[in-house]
Amino acid sequence: MHTYDGVFFDLDGTLADTAPDLAAAANRLRVDHGQLPLPLDQLRPVASAGARGLLGVAFGITPEDDGYAVLRDTFLDYYESALAVDTRLFDGIPDVLEALQAAGMPWGIVTNKNSRFTEPLVTQIGLRQHAAAIVSGDTTPHAKPHPAPLLHAAAAAGLDAARCVYIGDDLRDIQAGRAAGMTTIAAAYGYCGDGLPAAMWQADHIVQSARELTALLLGQSA
């Protein structure tokens, strides 16, 4: 018998390495403003925070600052125009999803990414066909760390949230999962932000690679 009835994943930094395309949009904006591109390693840790995180590093600007909205809108337009140029599923993720499907265990995606980007991206990287539910940041009135998106995903997949697991690479993911009553797994191989280390997020489990997920989720060897 499976430990869980269903599995939900965060998207950026958990299922897919989207940082290269997010960073490319931020760097295109820097070039527009006469600045040199930043190395990917500098932008990568904040990729899960979206425009706020990337523009914070690229321009030292916050959403409260004058001019932020204009920069954000241009950044999002640039990103939308090149969503999946260098974005790839993390090593091991295709095998994990295959194993879940073979075991008949539903899986889905819960992201704070706006549906404007989520919908075309999951199609382009081949995730739409098998996902039991796809919930974006604007699907419910609340975004993570609020539990509403996770509860919505479980309901959409016909699952009891308490029998599901949520996997994410950001503190907000673990907070949302705990609030929704799900078992939580911190994806330490992801972006993980620049705040508290994953070991301090109070997740039920931590994995250092996507390959470790198979053993946790299905009781099989990684």
Side-chain angles (χ1 to χ4, degrees):
M1 183 173 176
H2 299 141
T3 308
Y4 310 110
D5 290 347
V7 181
F8 295 98
F9 298 86
D10 172 51
L11 180 55
D12 301 76
T14 301
L15 276 179
D17 185 5
T18 56
D21 291 323
L22 286 161
N27 277 329
R28 183 176 171 188
L29 200 54
R30 278 179 60 87
V31 171
D32 286 351
H33 289 261
Q35 301 180 49
L36 292 173
L38 292 174
L40 176 58
D41 286 351
Q42 201 170 334
L43 292 165
R44 184 182 183 82
V46 296
S48 284
R52 174 178 53 82
L54 289 150
L55 294 179
V57 171
F59 291 94
I61 194 170
T62 71
E64 291 73 38
D65 292 330
D66 289 341
Y68 175 85
V70 173
L71 281 176
R72 178 201 61 208
D73 290 350
T74 305
F75 165 78
L76 293 175
D77 287 343
Y78 284 169
Y79 179 54
E80 186 177 31
S81 71
L83 280 170
V85 177
D86 293 308
T87 289
R88 300 288 184 272
L89 297 180
F90 280 101
D91 286 347
I93 286 294
D95 295 334
V96 173
L97 298 182
E98 216 171 273
L100 291 176
Q101 285 157 208
M105 187 183 294
W107 63 267
I109 298 167
V110 183
T111 176
N112 273 0
K113 210 179 196 74
N114 191 286
S115 56
R116 166 186 171 191
F117 312 103
T118 306
E119 297 295 333
L121 178 58
V122 296
T123 298
Q124 290 178 48
I125 60 177
L127 296 179
R128 170 178 291 283
Q129 183 180 355
H130 298 291
I134 299 173
V135 175
S136 299
D138 55 342
T139 302
T140 73
H142 304 281
K144 299 175 295 183
H146 197 284
L150 287 174
L151 295 172
H152 181 90
L159 300 169
D160 175 3
R163 295 279 305 160
C164 294
V165 60
Y166 187 56
I167 305 161
D169 71 308
D170 192 275
L171 174 60
R172 291 171 305 175
D173 298 325
I174 305 308
Q175 291 171 330
R178 287 167 61 88
M182 295 186 179
T183 298
T184 55
I185 301 176
Y189 60 83
Y191 305 142
C192 296
D194 51 7
L196 287 174
M200 297 180 68
W201 294 352
Q202 297 185 302
D204 295 299
H205 305 279
I206 300 178
V207 294
Q208 301 298 326
S209 74
R211 297 185 187 282
E212 294 175 39
L213 288 170
T214 305
L216 265 178
L217 299 175
L218 296 170
Q220 300 173 1
S221 298

